[in-house]
Amino acid sequence: MDIRAQVSMVFHLDKCIGCHTCSIACKNVWTDRPGAEYMWWNNVETKPGTGFPTLWEDQSHYKGGWELKGNDSNKKLQLKSQNKIDSFLKLFYNPNQPGLEDYYEPWTYNYANLFEAEAGDDQPTAIPVSLITGEPMEIEAGPNWDDDLSGSTLYAENDINLEELSEEEREQLFEIERVSMMYLPRICNHCANPSCVASCPSGALYKRGEDGIVLINQDVCRGWRACISACPYKKIYYNWKTGKSEKCILCYPKLETGQIPNCFQSCVGRIRYLGVLLYDADRAAESMKVPDKALVESQRTAFCDPFDPKIIEAAKANGISDEFIKAAQLSPVYKYVMKWKIALPLHIEYRTMPMLFYVPPLLPVMGKMANGIYTNAMENFFTSLDKSRLPMKYLARLFSAGNEDIIEYVMKKLMAVRYYKRSLDMQDIDLVMMNKMMREGGTTPAEAEEIYRLTAIPTIDQRFVIPEIQREESIESSCNPEICKGSCGIGITQPPARGF
Amino acid sequence: MFNWKNSPRQHFHRYFPAILVTAICCFATSANAQNTNQLFTEKCAGCHTVGGGALVGPDLASVSSWNVSDLRSAVKRMEQSAGPLKDEEVDALVDFLKQQNNLPSPATKNKETSKTTQEQPETSQILELASSENGKKLFTGQTALQNGGLSCIACHQSNGRGGNMGPDLTLITKKFPGNALVSGIEKTPYKVMKSAYKAHPVTHQEALDIAAYLNETAKIETKHERTSPLTVGAGIALAVLGLIAFGYRNRKGSARANLKRRK
Amino acid sequence: MTNTLLFIVLPYLAVFACVIGSIYRTRKEPMSYSSLSSQFLENHGLMWGSLPWHLGILLILLAHILAFVCPGFWQTLTSNQVLLLSIEAAGFGLSILCLVGLVILAIRRLTSPRIQAVTTPMDLFVIALLLAQVALGAAMAVHCKWGSAWCSGTTTPYLWSLLLFQPDLSTIEDLPLIAKSHIVCAWLFILIIPFSRLIHLFAVPLEYLFRPPQNVVWNNSRKLKEECSAFVAEDTRRHFLKAALGIGFGAFLLSVGTLNKVFNFFFGPRLSKKEETELMEVKLAHLESTVDQRKLELERQASNYIMVAALSELNQSSGKYFIDYQMQPAIAFKGKDGLPLLISAKCTHLGCTVGNKVDEQGRILCPCHVSYFNIETGQPNAEAPAKAPLGHLSWVIMDERGSILASRNLEGKTACSVNQQALANGKVYIAKSQEDKT
């Protein structure tokens, strides 16, 4: 048993309003510089949609993540495109690497023209100019080009997660009366079995032992770009100016001092939760060697109960501090993922064991106008699951590797909580109906109350349980920093200039 | 400006008398000196040329200005390197060297020298002792040279096969018959070879064998290589490019471009 | 001078700059140490440029290194006609492949505005240099073909001589211009490695083949307290391994040379029985001849006088050779005064024997390098390579009975006791007593 702590995350999608504030908070701090203009360490996608970069979920194109190889007795995980020998050929040209066309060409506007243009008959305009070449350019795409289903015939209809839907279901999905969408904010998953780390030829990518943050050592990175195609979430970006790759750092400088990462802090809908999960590192890769539909359950077997004395002992033996164990016990993530089991990983079929979990969106309340009065469309007040506008199959493709039972379980529980609260507060729900829903959702009033409190009215301390890293215990005090800093140094030690 | 009609060929008739006179001069001189020529090529040409530039020994073009007695003693002294010389031979060589300034130019002279000494009973006598078969193996590198020197074929062609840094040796016996060739191979007093074989000298037996082989090649019609490695090389390059094209035939372009195209 | 500069100074400068510069850059400027890929900005041209170029140049470079590091092995390979032709064909093919790739890369770099946004002047220089270098290589395959064979006798010994710090240009200085340019370009290439994107040559991630898939780093001392010492030990071991690897490689290079000699000593070509006998016979004959000579020498040493000639035999125009007490040649003439004139015949330039014919100006010629010596004074002519004069020897003239009629000592002082008539019948000797004084 090799117990490690992971600073993990839960995004409650029911609360996301798709405002992109998180993306801007991140961009302003980390990626507002030459070579990084196109990077969105945090971005918000509209689903159904093709995302950023376009069609990133299509692994037949980008070949990211792991795949299960071998027979039943000897199963092993293998990188889908960056095997050892194979990746040497790909140093020179990587057919799976997304190009600028798959993201977008970053641009600004020639604002000066508004003031400096010669006097003329026409109003001067600020034409877009490329941030790479400085030339005037035609804007063809942007970071959220398919936002709110814009261009849906081109983008949303080609969402790869719709593959298993029948033609009829697809048509229904995009019917103007029923059309529906959800938002999917994404940052790096800081996976426990990261394929990017495994693929890095230079060994520049590493996972921190204490908090599980995945980082790229900029001094060691040689720009071979294997991680970019190996990451199935396309959350590693190539800086075209410095010739090195960059990714979300979970604002570790803030985390280390007990502060909240930018995208979490700025979240308007307060959808984000941050907390520690204890997991067994020996089980991390092992748990990913099961068939697709069993992956969500299998991943949970790798997580450990922070109240179990044996686990606490093993964690302490492994150098995990008391602060981390305490944070793990208070962790909102542990509650969502392990206790209530209503937060699910995104695309776990990539087998990287992502440590960012999503509470799937419950179907929106359907309203209608009748005689000038707005009323609920449904007889049961809340939509029934079988009439859901976002089909279960679609959500299952996103959050449970196609296992609809898991989605149904989560939905029913979420529904039960709603019925429970409605009946308590408004008393307009039949008790028999409420109890039936509670039974179906497999929850108790106490649990429902708890879910409600953490979902709807949590304080900031409940949403973000961050253990401070004890700087006085860091390696510099016990180990020769000259030896250690080269191997576990943190990111950039020099100005990010391009080599000559 | 250059006019293509004005090529040297058009003016051949102007130069023709001069060339004719030169040729006659050469022929006259060389006919007299046929035996001496043979003697010179046997005894001296391994290390000396007359007007052909310095080899191991100095160019002997200038000695014609020496007085006869000095020249005689100088030739006599070469006994150290060339083996015992009879008095008549010394005299003949002295005469030969004294006559050199009568000859028009070193180049034509060399040509004449070689022409007149094509058939030599003496030569074949020496070379028959050696095995041209071994010589061929040594030349082509099937057998390594005893002292680890490069095989000849690395730089020289014979019968259309071999490198082209050095001259084609197919007809070399016509230029350096008999002993001259042997000593040439053995002492390697030429550009590039001089230093390349300094540490890896060719043995006398090897020199004899190779000379025997070269003597034989001169008699055979030149064959041309069937396929040039260059053609094969270009083929390889094309093949690799084809392989790349084949390996990435299913390469998908930009995902968004594909989407738009599909639509 | 130019040769020394290009083939001795430049290589050492290049390798020195490359080693020091690369170490400095990889250690102190790690941020600038990257492959600087531009695939992200331009994809299609890169495939057709980068793949052929890298595939081709890697194999070509490996072959060059093999030919240099294992010359014996390489020579064995290239002695096989089929292999040699294959190597030549493959080499030419790959160089064409490289050229195609480079041209595409160059066009791409010059035409794509996005690529130009990340192009430095050094990048353009690198492409130009590589184009020149590969074109030269391909041209060599055509004009001085079979370079894979002749390199073992020319460039390989040159490179080894540089490596062993005994630079020897003789093997390459007569190579055709095209081959020499190829060598110079190669040194330039090495020179600019640390100052250009070529530094990525050293970034080849070989360790990737052997490392475990995951990479976990702990910053916390609690976990590391016990592991830190292990880490330090590991690091020391890594340094040790690196050093050992470096030293090992150096030793390997040196031992290849040494072993080659040792191997030849024990297993090298042997003389056949016949050849051995012949060799011994030659040695014996040589010994025998020296015995005779030595005997003669001793005999001469024993006598107080050595006869040169009868005075009547000597004349003024043609000297008579004789050997003096030091076993050196000398010539005897009759002087204008009718007395003997004995002069050393060993040229003061390089020791050739001087001719014995006196020309109209009273000079004798050393035929080796054309020095004329005046027999009266012994002085060489002004243009002669010999600068010092020939020495005169002392002599005595004795009659049959052994009584001294006349003599001249080393200072040139002549004593004459009898008349010319008596002298004419006398014989000229050199005296031991006089010689001993010298």
Side-chain angles (χ1 to χ4, degrees):
Chain A
M1 205 190 285
D2 180 11
I3 303 294
R4 277 190 216 147
Q6 166 88 32
V7 175
S8 46
M9 303 137 276
V10 166
F11 289 2
H12 200 305
L13 297 185
D14 252 344
K15 303 201 277 176
C16 181
I17 60 168
C19 63
H20 301 282
T21 312
C22 45
S23 306
I24 298 302
C26 174
K27 163 124 306 223
N28 281 342
V29 174
W30 297 119
T31 57
D32 187 20
R33 58 201 152 84
E37 307 97 338
Y38 84 99
M39 296 182 196
W40 294 88
W41 291 358
N42 179 109
N43 72 321
V44 183
E45 291 167 11
T46 303
K47 287 286 169 188
T50 48
F52 177 78
T54 308
L55 281 178
W56 62 269
E57 291 152 297
D58 184 359
Q59 301 311 335
S60 67
H61 183 103
Y62 291 120
K63 305 231 189 273
W66 302 91
E67 58 187 349
L68 198 54
K69 283 277 165 104
N71 49 22
D72 287 345
S73 56
N74 181 26
K75 284 188 171 158
K76 56 177 184 182
L77 290 178
Q78 203 178 352
L79 288 173
K80 206 161 186 177
S81 68
Q82 300 288 341
N83 288 315
K84 299 246 155 168
I85 302 294
D86 178 45
S87 63
F88 273 83
L89 252 184
K90 289 184 177 163
L91 295 183
F92 312 132
Y93 166 75
N94 191 335
N96 312 119
Q97 185 196 333
L100 193 61
E101 297 74 26
D102 294 312
Y103 301 93
Y104 68 101
E105 183 161 358
W107 75 90
T108 182
Y109 295 95
N110 185 8
Y111 295 109
N113 191 47
L114 298 180
F115 303 95
E116 291 163 2
E118 304 248 325
D121 295 337
D122 302 319
Q123 183 78 9
T125 54
I127 52 164
V129 288
S130 166
L131 278 173
I132 295 178
T133 61
E135 305 286 323
M137 62 172 274
E138 191 104 340
I139 300 171
E140 285 176 352
N144 53 348
W145 207 241
D146 58 349
D147 207 24
D148 292 345
L149 295 180
S150 64
S152 57
T153 48
L154 184 58
Y155 298 111
E157 285 183 9
N158 282 308
D159 185 336
I160 198 125
N161 302 298
L162 298 172
E163 258 175 6
E164 276 163 32
L165 268 59
S166 68
E167 198 61 31
E168 201 183 348
E169 284 172 310
R170 278 196 199 208
E171 273 173 27
Q172 279 181 3
L173 190 60
F174 292 104
E175 248 173 53
I176 199 73
E177 291 292 324
R178 290 173 50 95
V179 75
S180 153
M181 65 185 178
M182 58 178 264
Y183 296 110
L184 183 71
R186 299 199 301 126
I187 63 169
C188 170
N189 290 296
H190 297 280
C191 306
N193 184 32
S195 53
C196 56
V197 173
S199 75
C200 178
S202 318
L205 274 144
Y206 63 97
K207 192 170 175 68
R208 300 214 299 187
E210 293 79 17
D211 49 17
I213 295 175
V214 177
L215 292 176
I216 300 175
N217 187 338
Q218 293 288 302
D219 284 352
V220 183
C221 176
R222 300 285 171 263
W224 299 125
R225 313 163 325 281
C227 52
I228 296 167
S229 43
C231 172
Y233 301 93
K234 293 289 159 287
K235 274 295 166 189
I236 297 183
Y237 299 89
Y238 181 73
N239 185 320
W240 55 266
K241 189 108 186 174
T242 61
K244 311 235 167 181
S245 293
E246 296 176 14
K247 67 181 287 297
C248 161
I249 58 175
L250 204 59
C251 296
Y252 72 83
K254 294 187 86 181
L255 268 187
E256 283 178 2
T257 49
Q259 301 173 62
I260 306 158
N262 284 343
C263 55
F264 286 77
Q265 193 164 32
S266 63
C267 181
V268 175
R270 302 181 181 180
I271 76 158
R272 297 182 178 218
Y273 299 81
L274 189 88
V276 174
L277 266 186
L278 296 182
Y279 71 101
D280 182 358
D282 291 340
R283 292 265 317 130
E286 280 307 306
S287 67
M288 293 292 108
K289 294 180 184 170
V290 295
D292 280 358
K293 294 196 172 172
L295 276 167
V296 173
E297 286 296 334
S298 180
Q299 184 189 25
R300 288 182 187 147
T301 64
F303 298 142
C304 306
D305 179 358
F307 299 100
D308 185 342
K310 271 188 199 160
I311 298 291
I312 294 174
E313 198 186 332
K316 282 187 174 167
N318 217 7
I320 294 173
S321 68
D322 292 342
E323 288 83 358
F324 265 83
I325 293 169
K326 201 174 158 218
Q329 288 168 345
L330 292 173
S331 168
V333 178
Y334 183 75
K335 287 177 185 143
Y336 273 114
V337 175
M338 291 298 288
K339 207 168 160 192
W340 307 327
K341 299 192 196 315
I342 54 173
L344 302 170
L346 177 65
H347 284 305
I348 190 143
E349 71 271 22
Y350 303 152
R351 293 169 203 275
T352 59
M353 196 168 166
M355 294 305 244
L356 162 57
F357 303 88
Y358 294 89
V359 179
L362 193 51
L363 314 171
V365 175
M366 198 68 159
K368 68 172 182 188
M369 296 289 278
N371 304 326
I373 300 166
Y374 177 85
T375 57
N376 294 319
M378 293 297 161
E379 60 279 13
N380 288 338
F381 185 75
F382 292 118
T383 332
S384 69
L385 286 181
D386 34 306
K387 286 186 181 167
S388 71
R389 288 184 300 172
L390 270 178
M392 290 292 208
K393 266 186 197 161
Y394 181 73
L395 291 176
R397 266 296 289 266
L398 281 177
F399 299 115
S400 62
N403 189 339
E404 289 175 53
D405 293 346
I406 294 176
I407 296 291
E408 202 180 324
Y409 171 83
V410 173
M411 289 303 193
K412 280 185 174 164
K413 195 174 242 186
L414 290 174
M415 191 82 88
V417 174
R418 287 196 185 182
Y419 272 90
Y420 170 75
K421 278 313 285 183
R422 182 85 192 182
S423 72
L424 272 192
D425 295 348
M426 309 298 288
Q427 279 102 30
D428 62 349
I429 302 267
D430 180 28
L431 265 184
V432 178
M433 177 69 180
M434 197 263 297
N435 283 331
K436 182 178 160 255
M437 293 306 288
M438 294 287 277
R439 239 188 348 270
E440 276 180 10
T443 183
T444 60
E447 192 187 58
E449 180 67 25
E450 222 182 331
I451 292 175
Y452 157 72
R453 295 200 81 84
L454 193 59
T455 303
I457 50 165
T459 65
I460 196 165
D461 293 332
Q462 285 167 332
R463 282 191 285 138
F464 309 118
V465 183
I466 301 168
E468 278 181 50
I469 288 178
Q470 306 294 303
R471 292 307 296 179
E472 67 274 19
E473 285 183 355
S474 66
I475 47 169
E476 284 86 349
S477 54
S478 64
C479 187
N480 182 356
E482 271 304 311
I483 294 172
C484 294
K485 77 178 176 191
S487 53
C488 54
I490 322 154
I492 299 168
T493 56
Q494 286 177 327
R498 185 181 171 80
F500 31 96
Chain B
M1 290 302 287
F2 180 75
N3 180 356
W4 66 271
K5 280 182 185 166
N6 239 1
S7 67
R9 231 176 121 159
Q10 304 280 316
H11 292 276
F12 183 71
H13 62 276
R14 283 195 205 162
Y15 304 124
F16 185 68
I19 294 171
L20 195 66
V21 170
T22 313
I24 291 170
C25 276
C26 299
F27 189 71
T29 329
S30 55
N32 292 342
Q34 182 170 346
N35 291 330
T36 325
N37 261 332
Q38 186 182 329
L39 191 65
F40 182 82
T41 42
E42 271 181 33
K43 298 289 187 187
C44 321
C47 306
H48 296 282
T49 65
V50 180
L55 300 177
V56 170
D59 188 345
L60 300 182
S62 59
V63 298
S64 53
S65 59
W66 293 15
N67 74 44
V68 177
S69 55
D70 292 334
L71 197 53
R72 250 192 80 84
S73 55
V75 171
K76 191 76 181 157
R77 278 183 53 79
M78 291 311 292
E79 278 190 341
Q80 288 175 355
S81 315
L85 292 168
K86 286 179 222 142
D87 280 354
E88 308 93 72
E89 286 174 327
V90 175
D91 287 337
L93 284 171
V94 168
D95 287 343
F96 175 78
L97 289 172
K98 281 300 276 184
Q99 278 166 15
Q100 291 309 312
N101 56 350
N102 299 335
L103 296 180
S105 84
T108 26
K109 181 179 63 216
N110 274 354
K111 229 176 266 169
E112 286 304 320
T113 317
S114 54
K115 253 183 212 162
T116 53
T117 50
Q118 266 179 31
E119 301 296 333
Q120 284 187 73
E122 219 180 331
T123 312
S124 34
Q125 225 172 33
I126 298 167
L127 298 183
E128 263 163 23
L129 297 171
S131 149
S132 72
E133 195 146 313
N134 287 344
K136 184 177 182 182
K137 284 182 181 164
L138 289 166
F139 189 93
T140 57
Q142 277 167 288
T143 319
L145 292 176
Q146 197 179 328
N147 291 326
L150 278 173
S151 37
C152 323
I153 201 159
C155 303
H156 295 287
Q157 289 197 9
S158 159
N159 277 335
R161 300 191 70 194
N164 55 2
M165 187 157 79
D168 189 336
L169 298 185
T170 313
L171 298 175
I172 190 66
T173 37
K174 300 192 173 166
K175 196 169 168 191
F176 289 123
N179 259 354
L181 182 57
V182 177
S183 81
I185 296 171
E186 202 179 346
K187 302 207 166 89
T188 59
Y190 313 105
K191 268 180 157 186
V192 182
M193 288 175 79
K194 190 163 55 185
S195 42
Y197 288 87
K198 197 166 54 189
H200 312 283
V202 180
T203 65
H204 190 59
Q205 182 58 47
E206 284 168 348
L208 285 175
D209 287 346
I210 293 170
Y213 167 65
L214 289 174
N215 207 26
E216 214 162 74
T217 57
K219 293 170 195 159
I220 309 170
E221 285 277 304
T222 300
K223 284 177 289 180
H224 284 288
E225 278 178 64
R226 284 164 303 238
T227 331
S228 151
L230 298 188
T231 327
V232 179
I236 291 176
L238 270 179
V240 176
L241 286 174
L243 214 65
I244 293 172
F246 179 76
Y248 288 122
R249 69 194 180 286
N250 291 332
R251 186 170 71 117
K252 292 162 182 160
S254 142
R256 189 184 297 120
N258 286 349
L259 277 188
K260 285 184 178 163
R261 206 175 310 130
R262 223 185 298 161
K263 202 187 169 201
Chain C
M1 184 58 200
T2 326
N3 274 352
T4 318
L5 212 63
L6 289 180
F7 297 107
I8 298 178
V9 179
L10 179 64
Y12 282 120
L13 186 75
V15 173
F16 180 76
C18 178
V19 171
I20 301 297
S22 300
I23 290 176
Y24 180 84
R25 185 160 168 201
T26 51
R27 291 279 153 137
K28 300 286 176 192
E29 306 266 348
M31 191 62 203
S32 76
Y33 185 19
S34 161
S35 59
L36 292 181
S37 161
S38 54
Q39 186 187 342
F40 174 72
L41 297 174
E42 201 282 339
N43 201 325
H44 191 69
L46 184 88
M47 180 184 109
W48 288 108
S50 175
L51 266 180
W53 158 249
H54 281 102
L55 283 180
I57 200 66
L58 268 181
L59 290 173
I60 289 179
L61 264 185
L62 279 180
H64 277 69
I65 291 171
L66 187 67
F68 163 57
V69 175
C70 312
F73 173 66
W74 186 257
Q75 206 176 335
T76 319
L77 279 189
T78 51
S79 310
N80 184 317
Q81 282 293 295
V82 180
L83 267 180
L84 173 65
L85 284 177
S86 316
I87 291 172
E88 280 289 313
F92 183 70
L94 291 173
S95 64
I96 292 301
L97 198 63
C98 286
L99 270 184
V100 170
L102 260 183
V103 168
I104 293 175
L105 287 178
I107 292 173
R108 171 179 173 271
R109 199 158 274 282
L110 291 174
T111 55
S112 161
R114 283 189 199 162
I115 302 298
Q116 276 175 339
V118 290
T119 298
T120 61
M122 195 47 150
D123 289 343
L124 297 178
F125 178 70
V126 165
I127 282 197
L129 180 71
L130 292 177
L131 261 175
Q133 179 69 330
V134 179
L136 280 171
M140 258 163 60
V142 179
H143 288 295
C144 328
K145 66 180 186 180
W146 297 17
S148 50
W150 56 253
C151 73
S152 330
T154 51
T155 45
T156 310
Y158 158 66
L159 289 175
W160 275 96
S161 76
L162 287 182
L163 188 74
L164 302 174
F165 294 104
Q166 292 161 340
D168 176 15
L169 290 187
S170 61
T171 53
I172 56 149
E173 64 194 352
D174 291 326
L175 285 182
L177 187 65
I178 190 170
K180 287 164 95 173
S181 323
H182 192 70
I183 297 176
V184 172
C185 274
W187 292 126
L188 274 181
F189 171 81
I190 291 176
L191 178 68
I192 63 168
I193 283 177
F195 309 108
S196 66
R197 56 163 56 227
L198 290 173
I199 188 92
H200 79 276
L201 233 89
F202 300 124
V204 182
L206 285 178
E207 72 267 21
Y208 178 55
L209 289 174
F210 311 107
R211 77 173 177 85
Q214 296 303 342
N215 182 13
V216 176
V217 171
W218 293 79
N219 294 307
N220 188 320
S221 65
R222 201 180 281 108
K223 165 81 174 173
L224 284 184
K225 230 159 222 168
E226 63 271 31
E227 286 184 4
C228 202
S229 48
F231 177 81
V232 172
E234 163 78 8
D235 204 66
T236 321
R237 209 181 67 206
R238 218 169 54 212
H239 277 108
F240 174 76
L241 277 178
K242 272 182 191 168
L245 208 71
I247 293 170
F249 185 66
F252 167 73
L253 286 182
L254 282 176
S255 60
V256 166
T258 324
L259 280 178
N260 187 21
K261 295 275 180 288
V262 174
F263 183 83
N264 273 344
F265 181 77
F266 288 110
F267 308 102
R270 296 252 178 259
L271 294 177
S272 68
K273 202 81 189 162
K274 192 168 147 253
E275 281 170 325
E276 211 162 335
T277 325
E278 278 170 5
L279 190 70
M280 294 316 280
E281 272 168 5
V282 169
K283 280 187 179 170
L284 189 65
H286 182 73
L287 272 177
E288 274 167 359
S289 68
T290 51
V291 164
D292 285 348
Q293 200 174 351
R294 185 74 193 146
K295 212 183 274 170
L296 189 73
E297 212 177 308
L298 287 174
E299 224 173 77
R300 289 161 62 95
Q301 291 290 344
S303 54
N304 283 330
Y305 298 97
I306 297 174
M307 196 187 86
V308 176
L311 185 57
S312 53
E313 288 172 42
L314 296 179
N315 63 50
Q316 290 192 10
S317 60
S318 174
K320 183 179 187 310
Y321 283 112
F322 67 94
I323 307 290
D324 68 8
Y325 271 94
Q326 275 83 41
M327 300 302 286
Q328 300 293 350
I331 315 175
F333 296 95
K334 184 179 265 180
K336 283 177 189 147
D337 52 1
L339 289 173
L341 179 68
L342 270 52
I343 188 161
S344 161
K346 190 181 170 191
C347 178
T348 53
H349 175 219
L350 288 175
C352 288
T353 303
V354 180
N356 62 344
K357 298 287 185 291
V358 181
D359 64 7
E360 308 84 61
Q361 292 151 32
R363 301 183 305 180
I364 49 177
L365 168 69
C366 171
C368 285
H369 300 91
V370 199
S371 305
Y372 289 95
F373 294 96
N374 190 314
I375 58 167
E376 296 289 336
T377 61
Q379 288 293 346
N381 62 331
E383 304 86 45
K387 296 299 171 215
L390 293 175
H392 284 104
L393 280 76
S394 62
W395 49 260
V396 294
I397 298 178
M398 292 192 287
D399 61 9
E400 280 91 33
R401 293 186 304 278
S403 56
I404 292 172
L405 307 175
S407 69
R408 178 177 288 167
N409 63 11
L410 283 173
E411 285 81 46
K413 206 170 156 200
T414 311
C416 186
S417 57
V418 285
N419 59 11
Q420 292 291 325
Q421 187 58 41
L423 275 178
N425 295 326
K427 292 196 168 98
V428 184
Y429 292 83
I430 47 176
K432 189 181 181 184
S433 53
Q434 282 285 350
E435 292 278 330
D436 285 346
K437 283 177 193 165
T438 56

